[in-house]
Amino acid sequence: MPWWIWLLLALFMLAMVVSGVIYACLHGYRAFKDVAKLGERTAKRIEAMGKPLPQNNENEAPFFTRPLKDAADRYADAHAGVIERHEAKRSRHAQQWAQWRHCND
């Protein structure tokens, strides 16, 4: 083989090695930025978890010593929340089905 073919092969090899290193560095830098953003968001959430929750000091007595009406009211409020969530889910599903029914019209 003539010497210029070896020169072309060597230059091609060097070009591929350099382009591979550049490619790896660019993708590594982008991945580092993504990981840094994820770490920042995680740190904020962990910091928020460390803060004390606001507590309602309505009645500090143990629940079983309170009147039965307190328990009934609390149950009614919780059940109302459950019903509201079920209705919201039902209405979201109905909206989505209505949209799907008319998407090809």
Side-chain angles (χ1 to χ4, degrees):
M1 246 193 286
W3 64 272
W4 57 271
I5 292 178
W6 287 108
L7 181 65
L8 285 176
L9 287 174
L11 291 175
F12 180 73
M13 181 191 71
L14 286 175
M16 289 298 113
V17 168
V18 168
S19 65
V21 168
I22 291 172
Y23 179 83
C25 288
L26 288 176
H27 281 271
Y29 180 68
R30 287 184 196 147
F32 177 74
K33 285 184 358 185
D34 290 343
V35 169
K37 288 178 188 175
L38 179 66
E40 182 180 333
R41 288 192 340 225
T42 304
K44 285 181 184 176
R45 290 184 180 166
I46 289 174
E47 180 184 339
M49 287 186 340
K51 293 180 182 175
L53 293 175
Q55 294 182 357
N56 298 338
N57 293 333
E58 295 173 4
N59 195 348
E60 293 292 326
F63 201 72
F64 62 88
T65 62
R66 293 190 225 161
L68 193 56
K69 183 170 180 358
D70 288 351
D73 291 342
R74 197 164 165 182
Y75 177 79
D77 293 341
H79 192 63
V82 168
I83 290 172
E84 288 173 6
R85 285 193 303 276
H86 283 281
E87 288 300 318
K89 183 172 85 169
R90 185 177 178 281
S91 68
R92 285 193 311 270
H93 287 188
Q95 281 179 327
Q96 191 63 51
W97 276 105
Q99 181 182 358
W100 287 343
R101 265 192 223 108
H102 300 293
C103 70
N104 290 330
D105 293 341

